[in-house]
């Protein structure tokens, strides 16, 4: 038995010498130190040996086991070192290589322009607030002088959520103007706020119309506010956004909640006013509706129209970068095409 153990030891070391990769090393471990190896079987059968042989054989078997285990660890280390220093393999494991670059995110073009618009108004002393996308009929229409069956409801193709909730109907706001009422209910003049947010319309989309788009509502109420203040504020905004050169057009328009009402359009950047698909061949792109807050609207929120007056406007946000960069289709903004979004 002692001779068998010594032979086994010599053979194992001899085989270990020839091992040159980790897979072979694992096979060697199973063969010589595994549960079914001869050495383990000898150790397990010690109890069946004659009493006088047991100590010698037991001591030798245990010593061989220890030396094989430490030889195994040494070999493992040697193989790892060889792997790191071999020119071919170390090329694959070059720890000095820089990490993989993470793609850098950026702000959506709408967010960028919203930030820019908010900055312009903050510099003029306006406060920035937000309001709910799901709105009551009262705020979206009734309080803005658009009662049920009023023909002006046709101007705002509405996405209704429910038509009768305890006598009140809910909808996705068709414009940011409901926030005029919420703001005037909450605060007393002087008021100067802008409200960036989404608006929704149930209408066919085309190059300049989306069913979900952003608006920025503006409202200023105080003693002695006139149409000249509205014009001055909006001219300033257009200059900040488009520069001194771009043509700005003011025209009369009708909105039931303002009197008088105006519409502001910008000379089309796609064709320089000559007419193209982007501007519907008119040379102009309408960017906002505005006007002097209607006295009935002021009275409804308990602001005396004899003492106070105000102006309001609602700006279409996507149309600004469209004019700025000559983007010829609003639908590109929300179709999630990274090739488009990465340009901004
Ligand atoms: C309104 O929404 C009024 N609430 C604006 C207003 C506010 C008037 C305060 C008076 C006082 P209008 O429907 O015209 O008005 O929309 C205003 C702007 O939103 C438009 O000039 C346009 O730039 C943008 N807009 C309107 N509909 C769409 C649409 N479907 N897709 C993209 N932009 C739109």
């Amino acid at each position: 038995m002692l001779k068998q153990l010594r032979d086994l030891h010599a053979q194992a070391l001899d085989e270990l010498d020839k091992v040159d990769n980790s897979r072979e090393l694992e096979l060697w471990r199973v063969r010589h130190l595994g549960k079914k190896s001869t050495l383990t079987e000898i150790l397990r059968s010690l109890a069946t040996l004659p009493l006088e042989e047991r100590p010698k054989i037991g001591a030798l078997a245990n010593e061989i086991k220890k030396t094989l285990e430490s030889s195994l660890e040494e070999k493992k280390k040697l193989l790892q070192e060889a792997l790191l220093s071999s020119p071919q393999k170390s090329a694959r494991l070059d720890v000095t290589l820089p990490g993989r670059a993470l793609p850098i995110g950026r702000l959506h073009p709408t967010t960028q322009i919203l930030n820019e618009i908010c900055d312009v108004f903050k510099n003029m002393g306006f406060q920035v607030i937000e309001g709910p996308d799901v709105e009551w009929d009262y705020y979206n229409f009734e309080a803005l002088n658009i009662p049920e069956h009023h023909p002006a409801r046709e101007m705002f193709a509405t996405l209704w959520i429910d038509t009768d909730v305890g006598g009140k109907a809910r909808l996705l706001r068709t414009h940011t103007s409901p926030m005029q009422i919420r703001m005037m209910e909450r605060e007393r003049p002087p008021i100067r706020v802008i409200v960036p947010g989404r608006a929704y319309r149930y209408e066919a989309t085309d190059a300049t119309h989306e069913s979900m788009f952003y608006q920025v509502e503006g409202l200023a109420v105080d003693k002695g506010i006139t149409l000249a203040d509205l014009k001055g504020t909006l001219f300033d905004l257009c200059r900040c956004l488009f520069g001194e050169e771009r043509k700005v057009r003011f025209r009369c328009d009708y909105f039931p909640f303002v009197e008088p009402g105006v519409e502001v359009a910008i000379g089309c950047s796609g064709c320089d006013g000559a007419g193209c698909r982007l501007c519907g061949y008119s040379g102009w792109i309408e960017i906002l509706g505005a006007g002097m807050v209607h006295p009935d609207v002021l009275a409804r929120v308990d602001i005396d129209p004899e003492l106070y007056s105000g102006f309001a406007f609602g700006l279409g946000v996507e149309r600004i970068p469209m004019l700025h960069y000559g983007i010829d289709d609003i639908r590109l903004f929300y179709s999630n095409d990274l090739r488009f979004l990465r340009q901004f």
Side-chain angles (χ1 to χ4, degrees):
M1 180 77 73
L2 288 172
K3 183 174 179 322
Q4 188 193 358
L5 275 170
R6 280 189 202 105
D7 289 350
L8 202 140
H9 187 198
Q11 190 193 344
L13 291 179
D14 196 37
E15 282 177 23
L16 188 62
D17 239 12
K18 291 174 190 137
V19 165
D20 71 354
N21 62 55
S22 53
R23 205 176 60 85
E24 278 177 21
L25 188 64
E26 176 58 13
L27 291 175
W28 179 91
R29 186 194 66 77
V30 172
R31 205 160 49 242
H32 294 289
L33 290 165
K35 279 185 205 152
K36 290 181 188 161
S37 64
T38 317
L39 183 62
T40 310
E41 267 164 24
I42 292 175
L43 282 165
R44 229 183 263 137
S45 65
L46 281 178
T48 61
L49 295 177
L51 213 53
E52 64 281 5
E53 286 180 24
R54 260 185 237 171
K56 267 193 182 170
I57 294 177
L60 183 63
N62 274 318
E63 199 192 312
I64 291 174
K65 190 176 179 208
K66 263 190 211 150
T67 47
L68 290 185
E69 278 169 352
S70 65
S71 305
L72 171 73
E73 286 311 311
E74 248 169 59
K75 189 75 182 187
K76 238 187 227 171
K77 247 190 232 161
L78 282 176
L79 286 178
Q80 259 166 13
E81 278 166 18
L83 190 69
L84 285 173
S85 60
S86 109
Q88 192 196 6
K89 306 258 171 70
S90 64
R92 259 192 268 152
L93 282 174
D94 185 353
V95 288
T96 65
L97 276 178
R100 260 184 221 147
L102 291 174
I104 296 173
R106 66 193 72 213
L107 293 177
H108 190 280
T110 306
T111 310
Q112 292 182 32
I113 191 68
L114 277 170
N115 290 345
E116 211 177 304
I117 295 167
C118 289
D119 283 347
V120 172
F121 283 106
K122 277 193 248 171
N123 287 337
M124 292 188 207
F126 281 72
Q127 189 191 343
V128 183
I129 58 162
E130 287 186 355
D133 288 21
V134 174
E135 193 48 281
W136 297 107
D137 180 318
Y138 175 75
Y139 289 105
N140 197 81
F141 291 129
E142 274 184 43
L144 291 167
N145 288 346
I146 314 175
E148 220 182 330
H149 307 306
H150 191 292
R153 289 208 177 199
E154 298 291 311
M155 289 161 66
F156 304 102
T158 308
L159 285 153
W160 295 96
I161 290 181
D162 38 41
T163 46
D164 191 17
V165 187
K168 296 163 163 184
R170 278 188 304 187
L171 44 82
L172 285 176
R173 66 176 175 197
T174 56
H175 51 173
T176 42
S177 298
M179 280 307 290
Q180 289 182 33
I181 306 297
R182 287 183 178 275
M183 192 59 196
M184 288 190 287
E185 278 181 348
R186 262 204 322 252
E187 307 269 334
R188 298 291 88 186
I191 295 172
R192 259 194 239 114
V193 284
I194 58 160
V195 189
R198 292 188 194 94
Y200 306 83
R201 298 210 186 154
Y202 183 52
E203 58 187 22
T205 62
D206 61 27
T208 50
H209 293 85
E210 252 293 7
S211 43
M212 189 285 292
F213 56 98
Y214 277 80
Q215 285 191 337
V216 172
E217 192 76 11
L219 174 72
V221 184
D222 204 350
K223 285 181 181 154
I225 289 197
T226 68
L227 192 65
D229 296 310
L230 171 63
K231 262 184 109 172
T233 307
L234 294 180
F235 262 124
D236 260 5
L237 172 72
C238 292
R239 274 195 216 105
C240 289
L241 295 178
F242 302 108
E244 302 278 333
E245 302 302 318
R246 188 63 61 83
K247 283 190 198 151
V248 181
R249 184 184 76 182
F250 268 73
R251 283 211 309 199
C252 285
D253 202 353
Y254 169 70
F255 299 96
F257 38 99
V258 287
E259 182 56 39
V262 295
E263 159 226 283
V264 175
I266 300 290
C268 179
S269 60
C271 58
D272 249 342
C276 67
R277 186 174 94 99
L278 178 59
C279 60
Y281 302 95
S282 68
W284 297 93
I285 293 188
E286 184 203 313
I287 58 159
L288 62 86
M292 299 304 292
V293 182
H294 198 290
D296 290 353
V297 173
L298 291 176
R300 195 167 288 118
V301 289
D302 283 333
I303 294 178
D304 184 353
E306 298 293 330
L307 269 179
Y308 293 101
S309 55
F311 68 70
F313 59 85
L315 168 75
V317 173
E318 292 81 1
R319 295 194 184 173
I320 314 288
M322 285 176 80
L323 282 158
H324 212 80
Y325 299 111
I327 299 163
D328 66 359
D329 200 320
I330 192 172
R331 289 166 291 197
L332 287 165
F333 282 85
Y334 307 114
S335 55
N336 294 333
D337 186 340
L338 289 178
R339 289 168 305 174
F340 169 74
L341 296 172
R342 281 198 182 116
Q343 297 175 63
F344 304 96

